[in-house]
Structure formats: C-alpha cells, structure tokens
Amino acid sequence: MLFLSLLLFGSAAGQCPKFTCLNETTTEKCLDYDSKSATYKISYCTSDYICPAGSSQEAFCTFNKPIYSLRYPGEFCTWDSDCTSNSCVFNVCQGLIAPQTCINLYDCNPGYFCDPESGLCEEQAEEGGDCLVDEGCVNSAICIKGTCEPIFSQAVGYAFTDVDVNPNTGFNFACATGYAIVKREGVFQCAKAPVSKQAVPIQCELGTKCTASDGVSQQNCQCGYNEAGAAYCPLFIGDSIAQSMITNWIAISKYSSACNSIRRWSFECFATLSGEAQAAYNAWEVDYMLYNQSHYALIQNNPPCVQETYTKDYNEVITASTKYNTSVCPIYHCSPSSSYNQCILYRQETANFYVQETFYLSNCSESQVCPVTRTANSTCQSAEVQLAYPGDYCTENAQCLSGSCKSKKCQGLSEGDACINLYDCGPGLFCNDDSVCQEQVSKNGQCSDEYDCENNLICNLGICIPYFSLGTGAETDAVDYNGLSFACGTGFAKINSTTPLMGSCAAAPVSALGAYTCTPGSVCMDLSNIYSKPCTCGYSSEGLGYCPSFEGDKHLQAAITAFKKLMTYDVSCNTFSRKSENCWMRYPKYLKQFYYYATNFTMYQQFPYLQKNPDCADNIYNTEYYGLLERLAKGHFDDSKGNILTFCLGIAILIVGY
C-alpha cells in the first residue's frame, strides 16, 4: 500500500519523490513533504519512539508499542493469550489433533488440517498422496490435479489449471522455474523464467516499462526511496535473487512440517525451531522481500533515515541474520503508565525476524515501587519499609527490627543475651555459634566469619585482620569468584585453580583499552590478557552488552580508598550494618565519604547495568544507585524534618556483600 501511494504520487507529478534526512532528533513531527521540491524530509525520533512513515505526507513520532497478532498452533508464544487456542506450552501454541472437531482452518496442530467437508482435524497427505486443497498436503507440497506434489517441481512445458498464478509476474508454486505463461484461457504452462536484460540494478524513467531479455515480459518502472528521486526496474523471476528465493524456499520447506497448515511460511513458526532453521528462513526472507514484496527498487541508495522508516522491515531481516546461534541481549522500552498499574511487561518478541526478549517498562507513582523480575510481568506495589538494625538511625520504634528506638538509634540485645540472627545484638557484639551475644573479636583474634570481627576488621583464614591490609602473595579465603577481596591491599586475589574461593593477593587487573561494549556470549579480557569476565547485558533500549569493570579500574580503587578512610572513624554500628547507609546516617559528617564509597563500589559491581539506559529502566532497576548519587551530591544528611532515608534490601545486599 505504501509503495502504491508513492508511485501514484510520482506519476501525477511526472517524477519520483526525493527522500532526505534532517540531522535532528525529535519526539514530534518526523516526516514532512515539501511539494515545491517533491521531497520527503525525515527526522529521527528519540529512543522508544518510531516514525510511522506511510502513505500520508506527514507523520509524528509515536511510542514504539508492541503490536500483537494472535498466533496459530505451532507458532511461537510467550503467554496463553498469544494463541488462538489460548494454550501456550513451552513457547509453542497448541492446537487440535485428529479426529477432534474444528471450525477454522488454523485450529489444528501442525501435521493436520481442518477438513472443510468433515469438520474434523485430519492428517495431511504425504507427497504423492490424494488431496483436494493445498492445506491437505504436507507443508512442503501443494495440491496439483488431486495429488500432493512438491513445491516448484514441475518441468517446463507442464500444463495445469488448479494452481494460482500471479497475473502480473507469472509467479507460481508449481513450476520449477517459478514462472508460467497463459497457454489458453484458464490453462497455464510452466516456462523458462524471464531475466533482466542487463545487470541489476537498472535505473529507469518513471512511466516507462522495463523489458526482460526475452523482449516480451515487462514490468512497470518503480520509484525508489532515495535522495535523487531515481526509479528502478523490479526483478524478474529469472534473475539470480528470485531464483535464489526459490532454492531457499525448497530448503526451508523441510522444516515447515512444524508449522500450521495455512501459515507454513511464517517466522512465528520458524522462531520455535533451531538456529539452523531460522538462518535458512532468514536467507529466504531476504530474497522474498526483494522479489515478491517489490523491495528491490525501494532499497536502492536509501539514506539512513529511510532505512529506519520506509524500508525498516527489510533492514531488520538483514540485521537478524547476524543474531542466529548467538546470544542476544534483552531490550528495554519505556511505555506510558498502564491503567492496570503494570510496571513490567515481559515478552519474547518475533517482530524483528529473530526471538527478542523485550521488557516494556512504566514508572510507578512516588508512593509505590516496581518489584524487579527477570522473565515475568510485574505490578506496582506499595513500598515496603526496610527495618533498621541495632545501631542504625531511627526516629520511632516502628522503624527498628528490635522495636526500640532511643536517641535516634535502634537498640539491640546486650552481651550475654540469647540471640537468633547476626543482627540481633547491639553494636560491638555479634551472635555467636551458641546463639549468645558476644563481644566482637579484636585484631588477630580467631573468627569464623567477617561479622565475628570488629567492624574495621575482616576474617581471613580464621584470623581477624584490617580490611585491605594483605600484601602481594599473601593467601586469603576472603575472595569472591571474580577475585574481589576485601582482605588484599589491591582489592584482588588470584583464585587458586584447585581450591575454589581461595587465592593469593595480586596486582589488580585493569580493563583493556577501548573495552566497553561487547557481544553477548563473548568474554572481555583485561589489559594483560590474562583475566576475563563474561560480557554482560545492560538495560538499554538497543540490546547492548558491556564489559564489566575489573578490580584495578578506577571505581573499585576509589571505593577502597574511601572505605579505608571510613574504617578510621569512631562509629558504632551493628556488625551486619557496617557497610550500610542506615548506620552511617547517624554520623552526618561522615556521610559524604560513605556515599563516595557506596557509589563507586556499586558502579564497580553494576557497571554494565548503569550504561546508557532509558530513564524508565534506571527508575526501576537502578533506583538505589541514583539515590546514593543524589545524596553524594548533597554531601550531608538533613534530618531536620525527622525524615529517614529508606534503604532497600537490594542495595543493602549489594553493599554489605562482596
């Protein structure tokens, strides 16, 4: 429809329109037509918006909301509601089998068809079997003269009457060449396919005919989408691209048995199959769009803005060819607030000719939060108050786990009291193995856990030592799987290959120069090319992967410097709250130093998740980090109104754990 409208415009004006890109980004008008120069002027829409270029002479950026169509049995799905049958099992829509009663042609499972005479699902006939309709044949065949014959199987000279033939191009599924001529009224005959008379692309004059090398076959010259207003000849069925389409069509037919009988060539079906099948489908789809959908003339010399609007579907197919058999990052889009209070809509989309995990995000109201999920929907909920540990800041009893707040400090159990959890005891104490509050272990004392030690010490090989105090080569068991160690002076330990979570302190690796974005499934090497970390997907609207930060990079090193300074301050925190904002809020003059530590440490741990995200993603997934950053900018804590800064469990775990 779009092509026809532009072609008619070009014919009326005696010339093809031109298409030019404006070097600007907008959320408003993105397409405008200048009648004096016969030029369509296209602006780029901002992230999460698209320019719905169509048959009109102007367009405005609109939110890139998903367009769902119901899927048939055998096709890809995420939820039951995606399917005409309302049944989605392991990402495949389910249907009926023989001899169940059916109403619609698409009701039956792959391998079956809805017989219009019996109203029952029946098995499709194999090649060579009897048939009345194409749907009655296996998906690699069509019904010719009452017999199921393979697609594109009949030789030149074969005559037939019961297969559809395109009246303009002669294309059909019966002939091996894909081309048939009219032998007499109602009778067609397979023939040699016409080819272009010279190498393509062929530029032509609007209003003229493009003639094939046989001197007989003709097609109309078509306007393209280019800056010069040039027109081009469409492909003939004998051209190499069209013949490649036929070859690839036969190739994908061997996979189509998994598809619904009336939508045997849909990507929604092939999306359920192997990467090999999807790659074969993609190769066919490229040729199909160039020939059968007349894209060949349209794509010649497209400027970039046209590639993102008028020929976007073709370019998505080209892009998809690089994504089969590879990992693909999810994409995150901002969407308007939902009337259902939904903040995360998760889908596995097939719209871009590959399966793409997609999250549509909406902001919650100020009094609500969005519970984060990985592969499920989520609805805004009232924010839960994180109760404070003994020693943490408070203004009322209800804010404390112990239920007791005195002098803006949560109270805890005393030495010798029976306890259950690490955080039950007051500052300076920990809950020992006998479930009794005991004084924390001092430097060089024996320990079994970090929280046994005084708050400026860490437990290393059963002994309490100062944080970040071990020299290069020293052994440590205070190390995580990345090599991060709060015991080593460099913050890094080389993990022992034979004993997991044991290592020796070493120089901290730094990121390789220029290492930033990466391909999901690949690894990012450090500058020495010795240490590696897996490429990690972020929360971007472009589905980008990023290299994680290494321990020698500026973020962790800045966090270590700040943390070591924090450990010199005389503060009284619960052993479990030593790295928590809630305790440090009782010491306003130290808060800026704490925030400097917390923001840098969070950036080290969460680097891939904090890069170039849409605002809605940061509002949902990174609220804690940006809250810390905002408070760092303030540099102090103002409790003049008795406000307590809430501290979510997620960031508490992030900062407390290592």
Side-chain angles (χ1 to χ4, degrees):
M1 184 64 70
L2 171 61
F3 161 70
L4 290 176
S5 65
L6 290 176
L7 181 60
L8 290 172
F9 166 80
S11 299
Q15 63 179 4
C16 290
K18 303 178 183 70
F19 296 81
T20 187
C21 303
L22 301 180
N23 188 24
E24 61 183 26
T25 302
T26 182
T27 57
E28 299 178 354
K29 195 172 190 178
C30 56
L31 175 67
D32 196 17
Y33 178 69
D34 181 1
S35 59
K36 291 183 179 180
S37 61
T39 301
Y40 284 91
K41 298 179 179 180
I42 306 171
S43 301
Y44 296 93
C45 294
T46 57
S47 178
D48 293 323
Y49 286 80
I50 59 171
C51 186
S55 58
S56 63
Q57 295 185 349
E58 65 176 15
F60 295 84
C61 296
T62 60
F63 174 68
N64 187 20
K65 61 183 178 182
I67 299 175
Y68 305 129
S69 59
L70 287 175
R71 309 287 169 77
Y72 294 167
E75 296 184 337
F76 187 90
C77 55
T78 306
W79 314 109
D80 288 341
S81 58
D82 293 340
C83 307
T84 56
S85 62
N86 200 39
S87 176
C88 177
V89 179
F90 297 118
N91 291 120
V92 180
C93 288
Q94 304 300 301
L96 305 175
I97 60 173
Q100 290 179 299
T101 302
C102 54
I103 299 174
N104 304 297
L105 287 172
Y106 53 75
D107 287 345
C108 306
N109 260 339
Y112 301 89
F113 77 107
C114 187
D115 189 323
E117 293 186 352
S118 66
L120 301 175
C121 289
E122 297 187 8
E123 287 191 30
Q124 292 176 300
E126 297 292 334
E127 293 177 4
D130 296 336
C131 59
L132 294 175
V133 293
D134 289 343
E135 291 77 22
C137 299
V138 291
N139 289 347
S140 59
I142 58 173
C143 190
I144 307 177
K145 300 179 182 179
T147 301
C148 292
E149 301 284 359
I151 59 173
F152 304 113
S153 61
Q154 305 307 310
V156 170
Y158 180 82
F160 58 92
T161 61
D162 53 353
V163 177
D164 290 335
V165 176
N166 187 304
N168 297 317
T169 64
F171 175 76
N172 66 93
F173 280 104
C175 303
T177 62
Y179 180 70
I181 59 174
V182 178
K183 186 175 182 181
R184 59 179 181 273
E185 186 176 355
V187 180
F188 301 95
Q189 186 177 59
C190 294
K192 182 180 179 180
V195 298
S196 297
K197 63 181 179 181
Q198 64 188 72
V200 296
I202 303 171
Q203 199 164 330
C204 54
E205 293 294 329
L206 183 65
T208 64
K209 296 283 187 179
C210 297
T211 304
S213 60
D214 62 7
V216 177
S217 301
Q218 292 185 325
Q219 296 193 74
N220 291 325
C221 179
Q222 293 182 359
C223 288
Y225 297 147
N226 52 75
E227 294 175 311
Y232 295 88
C233 291
L235 297 171
F236 285 93
I237 187 60
D239 289 334
S240 60
I241 291 175
Q243 289 298 300
S244 173
M245 174 193 71
I246 292 174
T247 300
N248 288 327
W249 216 323
I250 295 171
I252 67 171
S253 69
K254 69 179 182 180
Y255 300 107
S256 66
S257 59
C259 301
N260 189 271
S261 62
I262 68 165
R263 202 144 70 177
R264 53 186 72 182
W265 315 119
S266 74
F267 180 72
E268 285 73 19
C269 168
F270 278 76
T272 68
L273 306 179
S274 67
E276 178 183 282
Q278 291 180 26
Y281 182 92
N282 179 259
W284 165 79
E285 180 72 17
V286 171
D287 294 337
Y288 177 81
M289 295 182 80
L290 291 176
Y291 173 73
N292 251 21
Q293 295 187 352
S294 302
H295 273 57
Y296 190 76
L298 305 181
I299 67 165
Q300 302 304 320
N301 299 313
N302 290 161
C305 57
V306 168
Q307 294 175 5
E308 293 188 14
T309 51
Y310 290 100
T311 59
K312 186 174 186 290
D313 53 351
Y314 172 76
N315 287 288
E316 285 177 342
V317 175
I318 299 299
T319 300
S321 65
T322 66
K323 300 193 176 183
Y324 296 120
N325 296 317
T326 62
S327 299
V328 178
C329 285
I331 57 177
Y332 297 79
H333 290 304
C334 298
S335 62
S337 297
S338 167
S339 58
Y340 300 102
N341 216 25
Q342 187 170 17
C343 52
I344 298 178
L345 171 62
Y346 169 76
R347 292 191 63 84
Q348 291 176 293
E349 303 283 15
T350 59
N352 296 329
F353 302 98
Y354 59 92
V355 178
Q356 171 71 69
E357 286 187 291
T358 306
F359 292 82
Y360 297 94
L361 309 176
S362 300
N363 291 326
C364 297
S365 65
E366 290 186 4
S367 62
Q368 293 184 312
V369 295
C370 184
V372 174
T373 62
R374 179 63 189 88
T375 56
N377 297 331
S378 188
T379 303
C380 297
Q381 298 179 3
S382 298
E384 294 184 6
V385 176
Q386 175 70 24
L387 295 179
Y389 300 138
D392 286 354
Y393 180 90
C394 61
T395 58
E396 56 186 59
N397 292 337
Q399 295 170 343
C400 302
L401 280 165
S402 63
S404 176
C405 175
K406 295 180 180 180
S407 302
K408 296 186 178 180
K409 175 181 175 182
C410 287
Q411 304 301 298
L413 299 176
S414 301
E415 185 175 2
D417 288 346
C419 54
I420 299 175
N421 303 299
L422 280 171
Y423 47 75
D424 287 344
C425 305
L429 307 173
F430 75 100
C431 188
N432 64 23
D433 293 339
D434 295 324
S435 298
V436 175
C437 289
Q438 172 188 328
E439 187 175 351
Q440 287 176 284
V441 180
S442 59
K443 182 179 177 181
N444 296 326
Q446 293 185 342
C447 55
S448 59
D449 186 270
E450 174 182 13
Y451 303 111
D452 296 355
C453 303
E454 293 177 349
N455 287 351
N456 62 346
L457 305 175
I458 187 171
C459 188
N460 183 67
L461 300 177
I463 301 296
C464 292
I465 65 170
Y467 284 105
F468 302 110
S469 62
L470 295 179
T472 300
E475 294 296 311
T476 180
D477 60 355
V479 59
D480 74 0
Y481 63 92
N482 281 319
L484 171 66
S485 173
F486 270 56
C488 298
T490 62
F492 178 76
K494 184 177 181 180
I495 297 175
N496 190 316
S497 59
T498 58
T499 308
L501 299 187
M502 281 289 295
S504 55
C505 297
V510 297
S511 294
L513 296 176
Y516 184 53
T517 59
C518 52
T519 302
S522 65
V523 295
C524 300
M525 303 302 298
D526 79 315
L527 189 60
S528 70
N529 207 36
I530 296 175
Y531 302 103
S532 66
K533 291 188 177 185
C535 180
T536 302
C537 293
Y539 296 134
S540 77
S541 58
E542 299 174 354
L544 298 177
Y546 298 93
C547 289
S549 181
F550 280 91
E551 288 64 38
D553 292 342
K554 63 180 181 180
H555 302 299
L556 179 60
Q557 293 304 307
I560 291 173
T561 300
F563 186 79
K564 290 170 73 174
K565 190 170 184 179
L566 284 175
M567 294 299 99
T568 65
Y569 298 147
D570 183 17
V571 296
S572 178
C573 295
N574 180 273
T575 183
F576 198 64
S577 195
R578 61 182 70 187
K579 301 170 190 171
S580 164
E581 181 183 20
N582 277 0
C583 177
W584 289 92
M585 285 193 299
R586 290 181 44 237
Y587 306 94
K589 64 181 179 180
Y590 302 144
L591 262 180
K592 186 171 184 178
Q593 191 70 21
F594 172 82
Y595 291 139
Y596 191 60
Y597 153 72
T599 52
N600 276 286
F601 187 69
T602 304
M603 179 59 80
Y604 155 72
Q605 283 201 318
Q606 303 291 309
F607 185 82
Y609 305 113
L610 294 166
Q611 307 303 311
K612 299 181 179 179
N613 300 329
D615 289 343
C616 58
D618 282 334
N619 289 341
I620 290 176
Y621 298 105
N622 296 321
T623 303
E624 293 85 0
Y625 171 75
Y626 285 101
L628 288 168
L629 203 62
E630 180 182 356
R631 296 192 284 279
L632 171 62
K634 291 180 179 179
H636 69 281
F637 172 62
D638 180 6
D639 67 340
S640 59
K641 296 181 180 180
N643 295 324
I644 183 168
L645 298 174
T646 58
F647 192 67
C648 297
L649 179 59
I651 198 68
I653 293 173
L654 176 68
I655 294 177
V656 171
Y658 61 85

